[in-house]
Amino acid sequence: MTVTSHPQIRETLSRFTPFDQLDEAASAKLAQSVRATRIVRGELVVQRGKAPGGMYLVAEGEVKLFLISSAGAEKIVRLARAGDTFCEETLFGADEPVLAAQATRESVLLFVPRAAITATMPTQPAFAMALMARLSRRVGELVEGMEQCIQRSSTQRVAHYLVQHADRDSIEVRLPCDKQTIASQLNLTPETFSRVLNRLTRDGAILPRGRRAIMLTDRPQLERMAA
């Protein structure tokens, strides 16, 4: 994907919430301030504690948002994929991001400056409300992530993850990323994650199929574990 011209940036913006709530004039004006950039795998997009001055939209690729513990261990909080956004929490008061951001593959990002967003909000109430709703969901996701790490056992975390990523009408889960990344998201070591998968396999709850597919052979059992 190449997103360089003003019409291309404007068209791409219109596919993202909350920017799909802008009227044509506001969208065209905001698009003039947006910067598109292509980044390579491993490139650091945002450093923790260093204000980006706006928010990012992932037009293509994937970016991990993570923390580094005092012991040097990486904890992935969220993966932002195509159609997702990040750093919106820095738009209102939180000048310095809590999380660092790094590309996990070649990606195309759109950067929207804070000044352009805050100037647009007073005249575009639907856009402002959609942005607030997005921030509210982010808070909910963080609380759910804290609950997952603090209150649930390793088995409960893995069972919850598998059930959450399975379609209602399918017993197969296609893992969206490698197992090491999933383990980090669940605040588990890769070894613990593998042990839990092996235990669930022995118990007849799942059946691994290759590197990225898992059959939920006993979904009710997994749902009880995840509760």
Side-chain angles (χ1 to χ4, degrees), residues 44-49 63-68 75 77-78 86-87 97-102:
L44 196 63
V45 183
V46 177
Q47 297 182 37
R48 186 182 181 189
V63 174
K64 67 178 179 181
L65 306 171
F66 65 98
L67 295 165
I68 299 294
K75 166 66 173 75
V77 177
R78 183 165 66 90
F86 60 96
C87 279
V98 176
L99 305 175
Q102 184 180 37

PDB file of all heavy atoms in Angstrom, residues 44-49 63-68 75 77-78 86-87 97-102:
ATOM      1  N   LEU A  44      11.461   1.309  16.172  1.00  0.00           N
ATOM      2  CA  LEU A  44      10.766   1.871  17.324  1.00  0.00           C
ATOM      3  C   LEU A  44       9.985   3.108  16.889  1.00  0.00           C
ATOM      4  O   LEU A  44      10.557   4.056  16.368  1.00  0.00           O
ATOM      5  CB  LEU A  44      11.770   2.232  18.421  1.00  0.00           C
ATOM      6  CG  LEU A  44      11.219   2.469  19.822  1.00  0.00           C
ATOM      7  CD1 LEU A  44      10.562   1.203  20.373  1.00  0.00           C
ATOM      8  CD2 LEU A  44      12.326   2.929  20.761  1.00  0.00           C
ATOM      9  N   VAL A  45       8.683   3.066  17.103  1.00  0.00           N
ATOM     10  CA  VAL A  45       7.812   4.169  16.682  1.00  0.00           C
ATOM     11  C   VAL A  45       7.657   5.191  17.796  1.00  0.00           C
ATOM     12  O   VAL A  45       7.715   6.405  17.570  1.00  0.00           O
ATOM     13  CB  VAL A  45       6.425   3.635  16.280  1.00  0.00           C
ATOM     14  CG1 VAL A  45       5.531   4.766  15.767  1.00  0.00           C
ATOM     15  CG2 VAL A  45       6.555   2.546  15.227  1.00  0.00           C
ATOM     16  N   VAL A  46       7.430   4.702  19.006  1.00  0.00           N
ATOM     17  CA  VAL A  46       7.235   5.566  20.168  1.00  0.00           C
ATOM     18  C   VAL A  46       8.088   5.038  21.314  1.00  0.00           C
ATOM     19  O   VAL A  46       8.071   3.834  21.609  1.00  0.00           O
ATOM     20  CB  VAL A  46       5.754   5.591  20.610  1.00  0.00           C
ATOM     21  CG1 VAL A  46       5.582   6.443  21.870  1.00  0.00           C
ATOM     22  CG2 VAL A  46       4.875   6.127  19.494  1.00  0.00           C
ATOM     23  N   GLN A  47       8.833   5.943  21.950  1.00  0.00           N
ATOM     24  CA  GLN A  47       9.592   5.579  23.137  1.00  0.00           C
ATOM     25  C   GLN A  47       8.789   5.930  24.374  1.00  0.00           C
ATOM     26  O   GLN A  47       8.144   6.979  24.432  1.00  0.00           O
ATOM     27  CB  GLN A  47      10.924   6.325  23.172  1.00  0.00           C
ATOM     28  CG  GLN A  47      11.866   6.001  22.030  1.00  0.00           C
ATOM     29  CD  GLN A  47      13.175   6.732  22.153  1.00  0.00           C
ATOM     30  OE1 GLN A  47      13.697   6.914  23.246  1.00  0.00           O
ATOM     31  NE2 GLN A  47      13.727   7.144  21.017  1.00  0.00           N
ATOM     32  N   ARG A  48       8.820   5.040  25.353  1.00  0.00           N
ATOM     33  CA  ARG A  48       8.098   5.311  26.594  1.00  0.00           C
ATOM     34  C   ARG A  48       8.666   6.565  27.252  1.00  0.00           C
ATOM     35  O   ARG A  48       9.885   6.715  27.392  1.00  0.00           O
ATOM     36  CB  ARG A  48       8.225   4.125  27.555  1.00  0.00           C
ATOM     37  CG  ARG A  48       7.374   4.294  28.799  1.00  0.00           C
ATOM     38  CD  ARG A  48       7.535   3.136  29.759  1.00  0.00           C
ATOM     39  NE  ARG A  48       6.684   3.321  30.914  1.00  0.00           N
ATOM     40  CZ  ARG A  48       6.732   2.574  32.003  1.00  0.00           C
ATOM     41  NH1 ARG A  48       7.600   1.578  32.073  1.00  0.00           N
ATOM     42  NH2 ARG A  48       5.928   2.814  33.004  1.00  0.00           N
ATOM     43  N   GLY A  49       7.771   7.475  27.625  1.00  0.00           N
ATOM     44  CA  GLY A  49       8.187   8.709  28.282  1.00  0.00           C
ATOM     45  C   GLY A  49       8.506   9.841  27.327  1.00  0.00           C
ATOM     46  O   GLY A  49       8.799  10.953  27.764  1.00  0.00           O
ATOM     47  N   VAL A  63       1.908  -3.254  14.962  1.00  0.00           N
ATOM     48  CA  VAL A  63       2.767  -2.573  15.932  1.00  0.00           C
ATOM     49  C   VAL A  63       2.454  -3.129  17.315  1.00  0.00           C
ATOM     50  O   VAL A  63       1.290  -3.256  17.681  1.00  0.00           O
ATOM     51  CB  VAL A  63       2.533  -1.044  15.915  1.00  0.00           C
ATOM     52  CG1 VAL A  63       3.321  -0.360  17.025  1.00  0.00           C
ATOM     53  CG2 VAL A  63       2.905  -0.460  14.554  1.00  0.00           C
ATOM     54  N   LYS A  64       3.494  -3.479  18.066  1.00  0.00           N
ATOM     55  CA  LYS A  64       3.268  -3.950  19.438  1.00  0.00           C
ATOM     56  C   LYS A  64       3.457  -2.804  20.417  1.00  0.00           C
ATOM     57  O   LYS A  64       4.370  -1.981  20.276  1.00  0.00           O
ATOM     58  CB  LYS A  64       4.209  -5.108  19.782  1.00  0.00           C
ATOM     59  CG  LYS A  64       5.683  -4.758  19.863  1.00  0.00           C
ATOM     60  CD  LYS A  64       6.516  -5.977  20.264  1.00  0.00           C
ATOM     61  CE  LYS A  64       8.009  -5.639  20.322  1.00  0.00           C
ATOM     62  NZ  LYS A  64       8.837  -6.810  20.682  1.00  0.00           N
ATOM     63  N   LEU A  65       2.576  -2.738  21.406  1.00  0.00           N
ATOM     64  CA  LEU A  65       2.655  -1.761  22.487  1.00  0.00           C
ATOM     65  C   LEU A  65       3.078  -2.529  23.731  1.00  0.00           C
ATOM     66  O   LEU A  65       2.413  -3.493  24.127  1.00  0.00           O
ATOM     67  CB  LEU A  65       1.308  -1.078  22.692  1.00  0.00           C
ATOM     68  CG  LEU A  65       0.714  -0.447  21.422  1.00  0.00           C
ATOM     69  CD1 LEU A  65      -0.706   0.017  21.659  1.00  0.00           C
ATOM     70  CD2 LEU A  65       1.576   0.686  20.930  1.00  0.00           C
ATOM     71  N   PHE A  66       4.158  -2.102  24.363  1.00  0.00           N
ATOM     72  CA  PHE A  66       4.749  -2.941  25.400  1.00  0.00           C
ATOM     73  C   PHE A  66       5.396  -2.137  26.515  1.00  0.00           C
ATOM     74  O   PHE A  66       5.640  -0.935  26.399  1.00  0.00           O
ATOM     75  CB  PHE A  66       5.790  -3.875  24.772  1.00  0.00           C
ATOM     76  CG  PHE A  66       6.991  -3.158  24.188  1.00  0.00           C
ATOM     77  CD1 PHE A  66       8.168  -3.047  24.901  1.00  0.00           C
ATOM     78  CD2 PHE A  66       6.936  -2.601  22.913  1.00  0.00           C
ATOM     79  CE1 PHE A  66       9.269  -2.388  24.377  1.00  0.00           C
ATOM     80  CE2 PHE A  66       8.034  -1.945  22.370  1.00  0.00           C
ATOM     81  CZ  PHE A  66       9.202  -1.836  23.105  1.00  0.00           C
ATOM     82  N   LEU A  67       5.657  -2.848  27.617  1.00  0.00           N
ATOM     83  CA  LEU A  67       6.393  -2.336  28.764  1.00  0.00           C
ATOM     84  C   LEU A  67       7.653  -3.174  28.945  1.00  0.00           C
ATOM     85  O   LEU A  67       7.677  -4.347  28.573  1.00  0.00           O
ATOM     86  CB  LEU A  67       5.545  -2.444  30.037  1.00  0.00           C
ATOM     87  CG  LEU A  67       4.259  -1.620  30.137  1.00  0.00           C
ATOM     88  CD1 LEU A  67       3.411  -2.148  31.287  1.00  0.00           C
ATOM     89  CD2 LEU A  67       4.587  -0.154  30.343  1.00  0.00           C
ATOM     90  N   ILE A  68       8.660  -2.589  29.561  1.00  0.00           N
ATOM     91  CA  ILE A  68       9.856  -3.321  29.948  1.00  0.00           C
ATOM     92  C   ILE A  68       9.956  -3.266  31.467  1.00  0.00           C
ATOM     93  O   ILE A  68       9.961  -2.183  32.057  1.00  0.00           O
ATOM     94  CB  ILE A  68      11.135  -2.730  29.318  1.00  0.00           C
ATOM     95  CG1 ILE A  68      11.063  -2.797  27.793  1.00  0.00           C
ATOM     96  CG2 ILE A  68      12.364  -3.458  29.837  1.00  0.00           C
ATOM     97  CD1 ILE A  68      11.073  -4.202  27.236  1.00  0.00           C
ATOM     98  N   LYS A  75       6.734  -7.022  28.365  1.00  0.00           N
ATOM     99  CA  LYS A  75       5.322  -7.375  28.535  1.00  0.00           C
ATOM    100  C   LYS A  75       4.527  -6.673  27.440  1.00  0.00           C
ATOM    101  O   LYS A  75       4.422  -5.447  27.415  1.00  0.00           O
ATOM    102  CB  LYS A  75       4.807  -6.931  29.910  1.00  0.00           C
ATOM    103  CG  LYS A  75       3.277  -6.953  30.074  1.00  0.00           C
ATOM    104  CD  LYS A  75       2.722  -8.366  30.018  1.00  0.00           C
ATOM    105  CE  LYS A  75       1.231  -8.407  30.351  1.00  0.00           C
ATOM    106  NZ  LYS A  75       0.376  -7.913  29.263  1.00  0.00           N
ATOM    107  N   VAL A  77       1.362  -5.405  25.884  1.00  0.00           N
ATOM    108  CA  VAL A  77       0.037  -5.034  26.371  1.00  0.00           C
ATOM    109  C   VAL A  77      -1.011  -5.173  25.271  1.00  0.00           C
ATOM    110  O   VAL A  77      -2.133  -5.625  25.516  1.00  0.00           O
ATOM    111  CB  VAL A  77       0.050  -3.588  26.914  1.00  0.00           C
ATOM    112  CG1 VAL A  77      -1.356  -3.144  27.354  1.00  0.00           C
ATOM    113  CG2 VAL A  77       1.035  -3.468  28.075  1.00  0.00           C
ATOM    114  N   ARG A  78      -0.620  -4.815  24.050  1.00  0.00           N
ATOM    115  CA  ARG A  78      -1.592  -4.855  22.953  1.00  0.00           C
ATOM    116  C   ARG A  78      -0.853  -4.904  21.626  1.00  0.00           C
ATOM    117  O   ARG A  78       0.254  -4.379  21.502  1.00  0.00           O
ATOM    118  CB  ARG A  78      -2.487  -3.610  23.024  1.00  0.00           C
ATOM    119  CG  ARG A  78      -3.597  -3.548  21.993  1.00  0.00           C
ATOM    120  CD  ARG A  78      -4.629  -2.478  22.369  1.00  0.00           C
ATOM    121  NE  ARG A  78      -4.107  -1.137  22.321  1.00  0.00           N
ATOM    122  CZ  ARG A  78      -4.130  -0.354  21.231  1.00  0.00           C
ATOM    123  NH1 ARG A  78      -4.647  -0.820  20.098  1.00  0.00           N
ATOM    124  NH2 ARG A  78      -3.676   0.888  21.278  1.00  0.00           N
ATOM    125  N   PHE A  86      -3.261   3.894  18.002  1.00  0.00           N
ATOM    126  CA  PHE A  86      -2.596   3.909  19.303  1.00  0.00           C
ATOM    127  C   PHE A  86      -2.073   5.304  19.616  1.00  0.00           C
ATOM    128  O   PHE A  86      -1.998   6.163  18.738  1.00  0.00           O
ATOM    129  CB  PHE A  86      -1.474   2.864  19.377  1.00  0.00           C
ATOM    130  CG  PHE A  86      -0.354   3.025  18.373  1.00  0.00           C
ATOM    131  CD1 PHE A  86       0.812   3.693  18.706  1.00  0.00           C
ATOM    132  CD2 PHE A  86      -0.465   2.485  17.095  1.00  0.00           C
ATOM    133  CE1 PHE A  86       1.852   3.825  17.792  1.00  0.00           C
ATOM    134  CE2 PHE A  86       0.573   2.603  16.170  1.00  0.00           C
ATOM    135  CZ  PHE A  86       1.733   3.279  16.517  1.00  0.00           C
ATOM    136  N   CYS A  87      -1.782   5.525  20.879  1.00  0.00           N
ATOM    137  CA  CYS A  87      -1.308   6.807  21.429  1.00  0.00           C
ATOM    138  C   CYS A  87      -2.416   7.848  21.551  1.00  0.00           C
ATOM    139  O   CYS A  87      -2.118   9.021  21.820  1.00  0.00           O
ATOM    140  CB  CYS A  87      -0.135   7.383  20.635  1.00  0.00           C
ATOM    141  SG  CYS A  87       1.449   6.628  21.096  1.00  0.00           S
ATOM    142  N   PRO A  97       3.668   8.956  26.798  1.00  0.00           N
ATOM    143  CA  PRO A  97       3.028   7.642  26.686  1.00  0.00           C
ATOM    144  C   PRO A  97       3.566   6.664  27.717  1.00  0.00           C
ATOM    145  O   PRO A  97       4.760   6.653  28.023  1.00  0.00           O
ATOM    146  CB  PRO A  97       3.372   7.201  25.262  1.00  0.00           C
ATOM    147  CG  PRO A  97       4.640   7.925  24.944  1.00  0.00           C
ATOM    148  CD  PRO A  97       4.550   9.244  25.653  1.00  0.00           C
ATOM    149  N   VAL A  98       2.686   5.839  28.258  1.00  0.00           N
ATOM    150  CA  VAL A  98       3.084   4.827  29.230  1.00  0.00           C
ATOM    151  C   VAL A  98       3.739   3.648  28.523  1.00  0.00           C
ATOM    152  O   VAL A  98       4.626   2.994  29.074  1.00  0.00           O
ATOM    153  CB  VAL A  98       1.844   4.361  30.028  1.00  0.00           C
ATOM    154  CG1 VAL A  98       2.213   3.237  30.979  1.00  0.00           C
ATOM    155  CG2 VAL A  98       1.239   5.529  30.791  1.00  0.00           C
ATOM    156  N   LEU A  99       3.294   3.393  27.291  1.00  0.00           N
ATOM    157  CA  LEU A  99       3.772   2.242  26.541  1.00  0.00           C
ATOM    158  C   LEU A  99       4.710   2.666  25.412  1.00  0.00           C
ATOM    159  O   LEU A  99       4.548   3.735  24.830  1.00  0.00           O
ATOM    160  CB  LEU A  99       2.592   1.473  25.946  1.00  0.00           C
ATOM    161  CG  LEU A  99       1.506   1.009  26.912  1.00  0.00           C
ATOM    162  CD1 LEU A  99       0.352   0.373  26.145  1.00  0.00           C
ATOM    163  CD2 LEU A  99       2.067   0.053  27.943  1.00  0.00           C
ATOM    164  N   ALA A 100       5.674   1.815  25.109  1.00  0.00           N
ATOM    165  CA  ALA A 100       6.498   2.001  23.921  1.00  0.00           C
ATOM    166  C   ALA A 100       5.828   1.276  22.760  1.00  0.00           C
ATOM    167  O   ALA A 100       4.995   0.386  22.963  1.00  0.00           O
ATOM    168  CB  ALA A 100       7.899   1.447  24.160  1.00  0.00           C
ATOM    169  N   ALA A 101       6.158   1.651  21.535  1.00  0.00           N
ATOM    170  CA  ALA A 101       5.554   1.045  20.346  1.00  0.00           C
ATOM    171  C   ALA A 101       6.646   0.691  19.352  1.00  0.00           C
ATOM    172  O   ALA A 101       7.519   1.512  19.053  1.00  0.00           O
ATOM    173  CB  ALA A 101       4.549   2.000  19.714  1.00  0.00           C
ATOM    174  N   GLN A 102       6.562  -0.541  18.822  1.00  0.00           N
ATOM    175  CA  GLN A 102       7.578  -1.026  17.889  1.00  0.00           C
ATOM    176  C   GLN A 102       6.913  -1.877  16.810  1.00  0.00           C
ATOM    177  O   GLN A 102       6.018  -2.681  17.109  1.00  0.00           O
ATOM    178  CB  GLN A 102       8.615  -1.857  18.639  1.00  0.00           C
ATOM    179  CG  GLN A 102       9.784  -2.342  17.790  1.00  0.00           C
ATOM    180  CD  GLN A 102      10.772  -3.151  18.612  1.00  0.00           C
ATOM    181  OE1 GLN A 102      10.390  -3.911  19.498  1.00  0.00           O
ATOM    182  NE2 GLN A 102      12.054  -2.970  18.337  1.00  0.00           N
TER     183      GLN A 102
END
